Amino acid sequence: MQCPIDGTELVMTERSGVEIDYCPQCRGVWLDRGELDKIIERSAAQMAPQAQAARPVYDEDHRDSGYRKKKKRGGFLDELFDF
């Protein structure tokens, strides 16, 4: 199958049990029927335990100023689209 944007041959790969087609040239991603639903379900399932355990993290040096240090968390979508 060819990329609808630039005509490059699409590459098919499987990420976390979901088959995706992507263009190595423009980095466009195309999903077949039902694949977006799988991504949404797995992302929601992974985020639910994290949301329950999430608490603000404060830097010790800025505790009095109300400064919040954010933690970067990789999620299902980060793993899926990391080519």
Side-chain angles (χ1 to χ4, degrees), residues 47-57 68 71 73:
M47 295 304 290
Q50 290 179 358
Q52 292 174 354
R55 292 183 301 177
V57 177
R68 279 180 36 177
K71 289 175 93 176
R73 292 191 177 117

Side-chain angles (χ1 to χ4, degrees), residues 49-62:
Q50 290 179 358
Q52 292 174 354
R55 292 183 301 177
V57 177
Y58 296 99
D59 187 0
E60 292 178 14
D61 296 333
H62 298 96

Side-chain angles (χ1 to χ4, degrees), residues 26-44:
C26 73
R27 312 236 341 135
V29 176
W30 286 266
L31 304 171
D32 295 331
R33 185 184 312 259
E35 291 173 346
L36 180 59
D37 293 333
K38 286 181 186 177
I39 292 170
I40 292 170
E41 288 171 6
R42 291 180 186 184
S43 179

